[in-house]
Amino acid sequence: MIARTGCAPLDLSFEYFPPKTAAGAAKLPETALALQDYRPSFFSVTYGAGGTTQEGTLEAVQAIGAATGVPGACHLTCVG
């Protein structure tokens, strides 16, 4: 949580798209570690509208959680 002067604490989360390349997947934990400094409550990885980016969602959530210890969630998009 980020403390704001004169306000209640702010809950913060970050949402990712699943990496499309092996290089992107390798960089994901590094990026999550850098954002961990902001003390997010959780990370989420999108599933994509209509399931367009479903490949890699679970793997990305697991990689972020393993690198940071911050809870992760698969963001499922419900359409149709």
Side-chain angles (χ1 to χ4, degrees):
M1 284 192 264
I2 297 174
R4 298 179 293 162
T5 305
C7 297
L10 175 69
D11 284 316
L12 180 66
S13 67
F14 293 103
E15 182 174 0
Y16 294 86
F17 289 101
K20 293 182 180 184
T21 65
K27 189 159 178 78
L28 187 62
E30 177 185 331
T31 302
L33 283 169
L35 292 172
Q36 186 179 12
D37 291 344
Y38 294 100
R39 300 179 60 200
S41 298
F42 66 96
F43 291 102
S44 68
V45 180
T46 189
Y47 195 70
T52 56
T53 58
Q54 64 184 338
E55 296 299 321
T57 297
L58 180 58
E59 293 82 359
V61 168
Q62 292 170 331
I64 292 167
T68 65
V70 175
C74 296
H75 177 176
L76 304 178
T77 302
C78 300
V79 296

